[in-house]
Amino acid sequence: MEQLTSLLKEAIVDDFGMHVLGLGFQPEKKRNEFYPYRRSGEERDEIIEVQFDKHNRPKFVLNFGVVPANGIIDAYGRFVSRKNVQIAHLVQHGRLYSLPYSMFWFSPNALFGFRTTKYSVEKAVAHLIHLFWQVERWFEIGELNPNIRLYTNQENTPGVRKKSMQERGVWPPESWTEEDEASLRM
């Protein structure tokens, strides 16, 4: 299974990476099981990330979202510049799934051994590339298509964690630094 996951990650970097490079996205530093890409524009950044299964199973999903040009205020009330915003910071983000109207992750299917590992990996990544137009339509006009789900994380609302901690009398957190305090804009 680890070999299959490694092959899948290589195919994402090579095949999907080349596809999104052609669409203007630039790769960013890999974080754990996340392979992020960013396309910067005048008014906003469009970010996507391939998220692999945290248990190293051979499956992945594509997360995506939009960052305003002037950055965001995070849940602790700190300013985060647009180049540092990740999907995990966003109040709203989307996810592209393998099957329409479902929440199935992309994964290779060897059809009980009738397909080679390499072929099944190539098919899974090709399927992602084939469905990527749905993400592009969402970026262009906000259109929802069958393989897309939108999620809202109220825990990322600007300042919500700071307010909650203040109400409980535990603000500032132990790890809070002068740099964190200087970055507050609320």
Side-chain angles (χ1 to χ4, degrees), residues 51-138:
Q51 176 185 351
F52 282 91
D53 178 71
K54 66 181 175 183
H55 301 291
N56 209 28
R57 291 178 289 211
K59 61 183 188 173
F60 64 91
V61 70
L62 182 84
N63 301 314
F64 58 92
V66 172
V67 181
N70 56 350
I72 65 166
I73 303 297
D74 76 2
Y76 293 100
R78 297 175 292 196
F79 171 73
V80 182
S81 67
R82 75 193 270 182
K83 68 180 174 72
N84 293 322
V85 174
Q86 301 169 8
I87 290 173
H89 294 122
L90 300 176
V91 174
Q92 184 180 62
H93 77 279
R95 189 171 262 187
L96 179 70
Y97 289 104
S98 176
L99 297 175
Y101 307 109
S102 74
M103 292 188 289
F104 287 102
W105 287 36
F106 294 84
S107 64
N109 182 352
L111 286 176
F112 307 106
F114 292 113
R115 289 182 179 164
T116 67
T117 301
K118 185 176 189 266
Y119 180 79
S120 61
V121 164
E122 289 171 356
K123 290 294 281 183
V125 175
H127 187 55
L128 169 63
I129 292 169
H130 173 73
L131 294 177
F132 192 72
W133 69 268
Q134 294 183 33
V135 175
E136 287 286 60
R137 290 290 290 175
W138 186 82

Side-chain angles (χ1 to χ4, degrees), residues 39 44-48 63-67 90 92-95 132-145 148-151:
R39 181 168 58 193
R44 67 187 197 172
D45 284 2
E46 297 166 343
I47 53 178
I48 58 174
N63 301 314
F64 58 92
V66 172
V67 181
L90 300 176
Q92 184 180 62
H93 77 279
R95 189 171 262 187
F132 192 72
W133 69 268
Q134 294 183 33
V135 175
E136 287 286 60
R137 290 290 290 175
W138 186 82
F139 283 144
E140 288 174 24
I141 60 173
E143 181 178 285
L144 289 177
N145 281 286
I148 288 180
R149 299 284 170 279
L150 290 182
Y151 296 94

